Amino acid sequence: MTQVQVVGLYVHDQDEALAFYVDKLGFQVHTDVRNGPYRWLTVQHPDQPAFQLGLFVPGPPVHDEATARTLREVVAKGAMPPLVLEVDNCRAMVDRLLGRGVEFTQEPIERFGTVDAGFRDPSGNGWKMIQSRR
């Protein structure tokens, strides 16, 4: 093994997730292909091109409908483990993202020698944004 290439998130609507990650967070589309109703959609941070974030809808052919419904409910409750973004200046990035319509679940807090804030994507996936320790 040499690296992790793709980590996936469950989202309830891929078009809505794509707009959020690209238009609000500044990610770029890496892959957007379809095979029938299945859509493989990944985005990447512009400064981290070797890593892709998959935006996947639970459902066939991977899940039956009952499992897909359960996964959507769990994600919507914010019960999935948080993801972490590193930023140079947490408070400045919060202001920037608020201007783009991102809704924060936690205002910037100084603790553990840094500053962090939290938000969720439109599906309910939680993100922590942590200021670099430099």
Side-chain angles (χ1 to χ4, degrees), residues 4-5 7-8 10 12 16 34 36 40 42 45 57-58 61 74 80 86 92 95 108 114 116 126 132:
V4 175
Q5 187 178 30
V7 171
Y10 289 128
H12 66 260
E16 181 182 46
R34 295 174 190 263
W40 179 268
T42 67
H45 187 280
V57 174
V74 168
M80 300 301 282
E86 182 180 88
D95 289 343
T114 187
D116 68 84
S132 304

Side-chain angles (χ1 to χ4, degrees), residues 38 59-64:
Y38 185 77
V62 179
H63 309 105
D64 58 49

Side-chain angles (χ1 to χ4, degrees), residues 43-104:
V43 294
Q44 63 187 167
H45 187 280
D47 296 331
Q48 196 175 17
F51 180 78
Q52 299 169 55
L53 185 63
L55 306 173
F56 305 119
V57 174
V62 179
H63 309 105
D64 58 49
E65 184 49 40
T67 302
R69 184 175 40 255
T70 299
L71 289 169
R72 287 190 297 269
E73 290 170 359
V74 168
V75 171
K77 291 179 180 178
M80 300 301 282
L83 300 124
V84 178
L85 286 173
E86 182 180 88
V87 296
D88 291 329
N89 183 322
C90 187
R91 288 185 172 85
M93 185 56 75
V94 167
D95 289 343
R96 182 174 165 190
L97 294 180
L98 282 170
R100 293 179 180 178
V102 174
E103 296 179 21
F104 279 80

Side-chain angles (χ1 to χ4, degrees), residues 110-132:
E110 190 167 336
R111 57 182 167 187
F112 311 118
T114 187
V115 179
D116 68 84
F119 64 90
R120 288 187 182 174
D121 74 10
S123 296
N125 293 296
W127 283 89
K128 275 290 188 191
M129 197 164 57
I130 300 175
Q131 185 168 303
S132 304

